[in-house]
Amino acid sequence: MSFPYEILQITILSLQISAIATGISLLIGLPLGTLLALGKFWGRSFFLSVVNTGMGLPPVVVGLFVAMMLWRSGPFGDMNLIYTPTAIIIAQTVISAPVVIGLTAAALQSLDPRLRLQLYGLGASRWQMIWALWREARLPLLAALMAGFGSVISEVGASMMVGGNIRNQTRVLTTAIVLETSKGNFEIAMALGALLLTITFLVNWALTWVQQRGED
Amino acid sequence: MKKTLITLLLLSLAISACASAAPSNPNIILATTTSTQDSGLLDFLVPIFEEQSGYTVQTIAVGTGAALKMAEEGNADVLLVHAPPAEQELMDAGFGLDRFLVMHNDFVLVGPADDPAAIGSLPSAGEALTSISSAQAEFVSRGDDSGTHKKERAIWSSVDLTPAWDGYIESGQGMGATLIIASEKQAYTMTDRATYLANQDNLDLEILLEGDEVLLNVYHVMTVEPDNWENINYEGALDFANFIISDETQALIKEFGVDKYGQPLFFPDADKTDADLGVE
């Protein structure tokens, strides 16, 4: 491993992949979580249970599943996505989306139900009401975002399987740590681990700052 | 309370004394390469050893680089590895005590059936890699400092080439995973024959070059020097080493895989010397 260029490249790639996956999870998770929290439809609690189970999906199982889809022998093999950063983004989105959906639903359900009645009473439209509820629940919603990001920046099983840990292409911090450990370079592995923790901390610090703005 | 503890202690001592041949420290940590694990050889041999000896073997399958490092840092009792020059270095540095020749298999160059770099007709591994390099064909390297990777690098440097073109990628993973990547990308790779044969059904790759003497893959068993660290189970390590090179086990190694693949995966060598195999 060459310093510092390669480490920089791996770090940026890790951040890009996990940020995009978390972003997509947010785009999926916010509406779906809202629907599960506020909607009234048959099977709602069943779907909620499915999502809550999904919050504990083992990354390596997701990796295997996505890999089987993307392998040349799989149904989407023609798209040539296996061993690309896109493949990792897909797998990480599958991992983090349930986290964001489930925590969004929990955040909105924990709001006082009388708030909705009051908003209706004030003449709010459906969209205005949802917007107001999101604002009201912004603390737990940002926590959902942080949990989603945390679940993917730290996972290794799926990235290894669908990304292939290919140098300069799909090697991310976690898979680099596994590799350096398997080479017996425990010091470098530890240093990369410290780097990963630092980055996760900085991202969460930024998000927490946004979350806590105006709270003190 | 104290009395109960002492009674329990005596009782457990009595029990362990009763279990006749039970070794004093029943756990052995075996650090080995992914190839012995991925080919299924250890899954076959280790239970036999455990049954005979009463030891429990904790097999850690890692790259040879990590296995050697584990020996150096006292995190393993015995090694089964295939990187003779690096092993010799470790012995010279005083981290190993005994080292015996166990067996060999060989490396082969595999790739897509249409063989874009036309290595199939070439006589040596060096020429094959040269041809792959000048064709800028896709090649997946282990890139993990394993025995296989060390061998690959040795062949590159023997033909004075530094592989660095876009199609040359490093997987940084074990042999099984690297073969899958090569198969998916329809790229060339260098593999030990055993892992290739064991995974053949899932791979769209063919053996394109074999039989060159430099492709010999020689395995040694090595016990870790017990004086360096307190917790080394040297007794167990030596028992395991002696088991691996015993006539019975060597016969088993010779037969391993024949029923399934029609050819042996490993060739027993305990009765030979390094010089016989051309190992320095």
Side-chain angles (χ1 to χ4, degrees), chain B:
Chain B
M1 188 63 204
K2 228 177 197 170
K3 254 184 192 163
T4 334
L5 272 178
I6 293 172
T7 321
L8 274 175
L9 197 70
L10 287 176
L11 206 63
S12 62
L13 277 177
I15 290 170
S16 55
C18 286
S20 56
S24 52
N25 176 357
N27 288 319
I28 307 172
I29 300 178
L30 165 67
T32 184
T33 67
T34 52
S35 46
T36 53
Q37 177 95 326
D38 290 355
S39 61
L41 178 68
L42 284 179
D43 291 339
F44 171 62
L45 292 181
V46 165
I48 299 173
F49 172 70
E50 289 182 332
E51 181 140 331
Q52 283 179 7
S53 65
Y55 286 106
T56 303
V57 179
Q58 296 161 310
T59 306
I60 317 290
V62 290
T64 297
L68 296 173
K69 189 86 170 186
M70 284 176 72
E72 209 175 308
E73 304 194 342
N75 292 323
D77 301 313
V78 62
L79 308 183
L80 182 62
V81 286
H82 61 116
E87 292 162 27
Q88 193 54 54
E89 263 174 49
L90 204 68
M91 294 294 291
D92 294 343
F95 291 111
L97 191 53
D98 319 279
R99 179 163 171 262
F100 309 107
L101 183 59
V102 177
M103 60 190 179
H104 75 268
N105 65 355
D106 60 346
F107 292 108
V108 293
L109 286 169
V110 298
D114 61 353
D115 191 9
I119 65 168
S121 53
L122 296 173
S124 76
E127 283 168 80
L129 289 191
T130 310
S131 170
I132 290 172
S133 161
S134 47
Q136 305 261 297
E138 292 214 55
F139 186 98
V140 186
S141 165
R142 288 277 294 272
D144 63 350
D145 216 15
S146 59
T148 311
H149 185 219
K150 284 177 202 286
K151 175 67 89 176
E152 183 211 316
R153 274 192 314 213
I155 299 175
W156 282 117
S157 60
S158 75
V159 290
D160 287 324
L161 281 174
T162 311
W165 67 93
D166 281 348
Y168 180 87
I169 61 175
E170 294 182 16
S171 72
Q173 293 195 66
M175 199 65 250
T178 302
L179 278 168
I180 293 174
I181 294 175
S183 171
E184 287 294 318
K185 287 188 166 288
Q186 287 293 286
Y188 292 96
T189 190
M190 196 174 98
T191 172
D192 59 286
R193 188 187 296 268
T195 311
Y196 171 75
L197 288 175
N199 289 284
Q200 202 175 12
D201 290 348
N202 304 320
L203 300 172
D204 192 8
L205 296 171
E206 310 215 334
I207 295 182
L208 297 172
L209 190 134
E210 58 189 322
D212 183 354
E213 208 170 68
V214 303
L215 292 175
L216 226 50
N217 183 21
V218 182
Y219 289 81
H220 287 84
V221 66
M222 215 170 115
T223 60
V224 175
E225 168 64 59
D227 287 349
N228 294 339
W229 307 92
E230 250 176 48
N231 300 319
I232 303 291
N233 184 0
Y234 175 67
E235 204 181 313
L238 193 60
D239 283 355
F240 180 80
N242 284 326
F243 165 79
I244 285 286
I245 59 172
S246 70
D247 291 346
E248 298 79 35
T249 310
Q250 292 275 306
L252 290 174
I253 291 174
K254 196 174 174 184
E255 284 305 307
F256 176 71
V258 174
D259 51 344
K260 208 167 159 195
Y261 308 109
Q263 51 178 307
L265 298 185
F266 297 95
F267 302 88
D269 289 323
D271 54 348
K272 303 193 186 77
T273 64
D274 281 345
D276 292 339
L277 295 173
V279 177
E280 287 136 37

Side-chain angles (χ1 to χ4, degrees), chain A residues 70-73 80 82-83 159-161 163-167 169 171 175 178-179 181-187, chain B residues 62-63 65-67 69-70 73 75 143-145 166 169-173 177 180-181 183-186 204:
Chain A
L70 298 184
W71 274 335
R72 284 187 305 132
S73 52
N80 283 323
I82 191 80
Y83 311 127
S159 297
M160 190 64 100
M161 208 169 286
N165 186 31
I166 294 170
R167 190 175 181 191
Q169 297 180 17
R171 187 164 295 166
T175 59
V178 172
L179 170 62
T181 306
S182 81
K183 281 185 187 173
N185 294 335
F186 304 129
E187 295 83 5
Chain B
V62 290
K69 189 86 170 186
M70 284 176 72
E73 304 194 342
N75 292 323
D144 63 350
D145 216 15
D166 281 348
I169 61 175
E170 294 182 16
S171 72
Q173 293 195 66
I180 293 174
I181 294 175
S183 171
E184 287 294 318
K185 287 188 166 288
Q186 287 293 286
D204 192 8

Side-chain angles (χ1 to χ4, degrees), chain A residues 79-187:
Chain A
M79 299 172 74
N80 283 323
L81 287 175
I82 191 80
Y83 311 127
T84 63
T86 312
I88 309 183
I89 292 174
I90 294 171
Q92 291 198 346
T93 304
V94 175
I95 293 165
S96 65
V99 175
V100 178
I101 299 173
L103 292 180
T104 299
L108 293 176
Q109 285 191 313
S110 67
L111 294 175
D112 191 335
R114 282 172 298 185
L115 181 62
R116 280 162 76 188
L117 296 175
Q118 204 174 11
L119 286 166
Y120 270 132
L122 289 167
S125 73
R126 176 186 287 251
W127 301 117
Q128 282 172 326
M129 183 196 73
I130 288 175
W131 183 249
L133 291 180
W134 282 354
R135 277 184 62 90
E136 193 58 31
R138 65 185 180 283
L139 289 179
L141 286 182
L142 274 161
L145 189 64
M146 285 185 246
F149 180 77
S151 69
V152 291
I153 190 79
S154 62
E155 73 79 29
V156 60
S159 297
M160 190 64 100
M161 208 169 286
V162 304
N165 186 31
I166 294 170
R167 190 175 181 191
N168 298 331
Q169 297 180 17
T170 56
R171 187 164 295 166
V172 291
L173 277 169
T174 50
T175 59
I177 292 170
V178 172
L179 170 62
E180 293 306 325
T181 306
S182 81
K183 281 185 187 173
N185 294 335
F186 304 129
E187 295 83 5

